[in-house]
Amino acid sequence: MKVFFIMGMMVVIGAMIGGFTNHIAIQMLFRPHRPIYIKGKRIPFTPGLIPKRREELAVQMGKLVVDHLVTAEGFKNKFTDPSFIKEINGLVTVEANKLFSTKLTVHELLERLNIQDAELKLMKKADSYLEEKLEKLWGRSTSKTVDELLPESVVGSIHSQIPQVSMYISNKGVEFFQSEVGKQKLKTMIDDFLATRGMLGNMVQMFLGNVSLVDKVQPEIIKFLKHQGTIDILSTLLQEEWNKVKDKKVEDFSYLLHKEDVLSFLKKAILKEVNIIAQFKRPVTEFILPLKATVMEKIVPAVIHAAAHYLADHSDQLLQKLKVEEMVRHQVEGFSVARLEDMILSISKKEFKMITYLGALLGGLIGLLQGIIVWLMG
């Protein structure tokens, strides 16, 4: 009976020693966190293995991540995975739909994007841009003839309209001289003419008697204006004058066109027509809603597909630019030892317990073996 008690005690003691030593060994991986000194001398095995080798651990973890976990091949496979592209397309589509359904004005949207005073900045840019472009346009235009400056279609249109203009002038002349105002004006002109002719004027009035000269002249003037020959003469004269104008350079009209006034007028007219301030008060949807079908069905898928394949083709450069190894190393070096301990224990806590239990089991078996040996030797 005494033998079995001794054997049992040896098993228990062996199990306790085995479990305790394994537990101490595991704790020594992390503890103590800092070296301990007695009289200026560091106690062996302080700090623990992981705190002591933290920098080396950080370097090795960085290499592990880059060489085996976050690899260029892995990035390439992920970026070209149809399910991944479909998922990204879905996310972008949701965000795009939010934009297309927004009630924000352009001004409000820009403010949310932290872009301040966009209207004033754009107005200044537009003013400066227009001034520069109009200056260049003026410089190029003044050395050209009217014929060179105007589009061919405009020149042709003016040429074709000359007969109609002649007809219009003729008709307006007829209307004027048929009116009472025109007749009275004609009478005044005739009276003034005869009054300046002395004897000749008196003879004409005596010859006509009571018949008014204007009643004789008015029908003849109207006939003259209505005659096709008169219209043809007007057309010829207008055509000749138009040809002269076409051959003149724009700078020949400088006495009529003052550069500063013209450019200022054009700039103000364009800015007023565009009305930049009013555009910023309009809802964003007014500008983008007509593009919704094209954006959602063509542009978004095409951009995502192109971006995914671009990133896949440049995975090596991307990883180099990201400096993943260095980033992991810095992160690990920045961790406190307690956090590293928590991270490792959260992953391997069960395994460490099993190691402790295994130590106890082995210690117990060794104690049992020792007890058997003692019993046999006794």
Side-chain angles (χ1 to χ4, degrees):
M1 190 70 179
K2 183 179 179 181
V3 173
F4 290 110
F5 176 76
I6 293 172
M7 290 177 64
M9 287 299 294
M10 294 183 75
V11 170
V12 172
I13 293 170
M16 290 178 63
I17 292 172
F20 182 72
T21 53
N22 276 16
H23 178 72
I24 290 296
I26 292 170
Q27 291 299 314
M28 288 178 68
L29 290 173
F30 309 100
R31 307 293 177 91
H33 293 167
R34 294 180 177 83
I36 299 174
Y37 295 90
I38 296 178
K39 293 183 178 181
K41 293 185 178 182
R42 183 171 61 86
I43 297 176
F45 306 110
T46 63
L49 177 62
I50 289 177
K52 187 176 182 180
R53 300 290 183 88
R54 183 169 62 174
E55 292 184 2
E56 185 179 342
L57 176 64
V59 172
Q60 293 302 320
M61 285 187 69
K63 290 182 178 179
L64 173 67
V65 170
V66 171
D67 294 341
H68 302 286
L69 300 179
V70 184
T71 63
E73 189 63 29
F75 267 86
K76 185 177 295 185
N77 292 336
K78 187 64 177 178
F79 286 135
T80 55
D81 185 359
S83 61
F84 173 77
I85 294 176
K86 185 177 179 181
E87 184 178 350
I88 296 299
N89 189 67
L91 291 173
V92 174
T93 300
V94 170
E95 294 303 317
N97 277 321
K98 289 180 182 178
L99 180 61
F100 281 111
S101 61
T102 184
K103 294 181 180 179
L104 295 174
T105 63
V106 176
H107 175 79
E108 292 169 339
L109 178 62
L110 292 174
E111 280 198 334
R112 288 199 176 187
L113 296 174
N114 201 29
I115 301 174
Q116 304 296 329
D117 301 324
E119 301 98 318
L120 297 177
K121 291 176 182 176
L122 186 58
M123 282 286 290
K124 289 181 180 179
K125 288 285 185 183
D127 187 90
S128 175
Y129 178 82
L130 280 174
E131 187 170 349
E132 179 185 349
K133 293 301 178 182
L134 289 173
E135 282 280 356
K136 289 182 179 179
L137 179 62
W138 181 272
R140 292 195 302 266
S141 301
T142 52
S143 59
K144 293 182 179 180
T145 62
V146 174
D147 191 31
E148 292 172 334
L149 185 63
L150 293 177
E152 188 176 341
S153 58
V154 174
V155 175
S157 177
I158 293 174
H159 177 76
S160 64
Q161 292 297 318
I162 287 177
Q164 283 82 354
V165 173
S166 301
M167 180 65 73
Y168 177 81
I169 294 172
S170 174
N171 291 335
K172 285 297 177 181
V174 171
E175 288 178 14
F176 176 76
F177 285 109
Q178 284 180 336
S179 68
E180 285 300 321
V181 175
K183 185 175 181 180
Q184 186 61 40
K185 192 72 175 176
L186 181 60
K187 182 178 182 304
T188 301
M189 291 171 63
I190 292 173
D191 291 343
D192 291 343
F193 174 78
L194 293 177
T196 58
R197 293 298 179 270
M199 182 70 70
L200 178 61
N202 293 331
M203 288 179 63
V204 171
Q205 288 179 343
M206 289 174 59
F207 178 76
L208 292 174
N210 294 328
V211 179
S212 175
L213 184 59
V214 71
D215 292 329
K216 294 289 186 180
V217 175
Q218 183 191 36
E220 298 304 321
I221 291 177
I222 292 172
K223 286 180 184 178
F224 174 78
L225 291 174
K226 286 183 176 180
H227 196 276
Q228 185 60 44
T230 304
I231 298 172
D232 292 340
I233 291 172
L234 279 172
S235 296
T236 301
L237 291 173
L238 288 174
Q239 184 63 56
E240 289 177 355
E241 292 303 314
W242 170 237
N243 289 336
K244 292 177 182 178
V245 170
K246 283 196 304 178
D247 293 336
K248 285 188 175 183
K249 292 184 177 181
V250 176
E251 60 189 12
D252 294 336
F253 299 94
S254 58
Y255 65 96
L256 294 174
L257 303 173
H258 298 287
K259 175 184 172 182
E260 290 75 14
D261 294 339
V262 173
L263 296 186
S264 177
F265 170 78
L266 290 175
K267 185 171 66 175
K268 288 179 180 178
I270 294 171
L271 291 175
K272 183 179 179 180
E273 186 66 26
V274 174
N275 198 350
I276 294 174
I277 301 296
Q279 304 306 317
F280 276 80
K281 294 179 181 179
R282 293 170 60 187
V284 175
T285 50
E286 287 189 18
F287 295 97
I288 64 174
L289 205 56
L291 304 173
K292 183 176 181 180
T294 303
V295 170
M296 303 300 286
E297 296 172 10
K298 296 181 180 179
I299 296 178
V300 168
V303 169
I304 291 174
H305 184 271
H309 282 78
Y310 177 85
L311 291 173
D313 293 338
H314 296 79
S315 298
D316 293 331
Q317 297 93 316
L318 179 63
L319 286 176
Q320 289 175 4
K321 294 293 184 182
L322 289 174
K323 298 181 179 178
V324 177
E325 182 177 344
E326 184 178 338
M327 183 168 57
V328 172
R329 180 170 60 81
H330 283 308
Q331 287 290 329
V332 175
E333 287 177 350
F335 289 160
S336 65
V337 178
R339 186 176 179 186
L340 279 174
E341 182 179 355
D342 290 339
M343 288 174 60
I344 296 173
L345 287 177
S346 66
I347 299 171
S348 307
K349 191 173 183 179
K350 290 183 179 180
E351 287 72 13
F352 286 153
K353 282 185 178 181
M354 291 304 298
I355 291 172
T356 302
Y357 295 152
L358 180 61
L361 176 61
L362 291 175
L365 290 174
I366 291 171
L368 177 61
L369 180 61
Q370 288 175 337
I372 293 172
I373 291 172
V374 170
W375 178 60
L376 291 174
M377 290 178 66

